[in-house]
Amino acid sequence: MLEGFQLLLILVAGHLICDYPLQGDAIAIGKNRNIDPARFGVNWYYWMASHAATHAMAVGLITHSFAAGLFEFWMHFIIDFGKCEKRYGLHVDQALHVICKIVIVLILKGVI
């Protein structure tokens, strides 16, 4: 297994790939229940779940841990939901995602 800091860097890189190039406009807009939910013909929670699943798959593949992927799915869903509800902005959203990656690394390395 990778060293802690290396694993963290790869997880953050995976996050950036999933959150920017792999998240098209349809997902970015469609996952927000407050923006014309019928715009793309699919309920917001399908868009949000598919986006969170993309992140979960990346974490699972990188860590070889189903549990880490599942943790990522739920945390990403909850964090992005909060951002869509305007509870916080992009900077807090991204910081929370990085904190989740740190928690994943600490758990996998047996620190917590």
Side-chain angles (χ1 to χ4, degrees), residues 2-91:
L2 297 168
E3 294 299 321
F5 189 68
Q6 291 172 320
L7 181 56
L8 178 61
L9 288 178
I10 293 169
L11 285 169
V12 170
H15 172 79
L16 294 173
I17 292 167
C18 291
D19 236 18
Y20 293 97
L22 293 182
Q23 180 179 201
D25 289 344
I27 295 171
I29 295 167
K31 70 181 182 178
N32 188 334
R33 70 186 183 109
N34 300 306
I35 300 177
D36 189 13
R39 181 174 183 175
F40 297 106
V42 178
N43 289 324
W44 71 271
Y45 45 85
Y46 288 109
W47 291 109
M48 185 71 82
S50 89
H51 178 60
T54 301
H55 283 273
M57 185 176 63
V59 168
L61 289 171
I62 291 165
T63 63
H64 305 282
S65 169
F66 178 80
L70 190 59
F71 174 79
E72 176 65 24
F73 176 86
W74 286 112
M75 292 309 300
H76 205 92
F77 194 105
I78 291 165
I79 292 167
D80 276 22
F81 182 82
K83 182 183 67 174
C84 290
E85 294 295 307
K86 298 188 185 308
R87 294 183 183 150
Y88 38 80
L90 178 64
H91 298 295

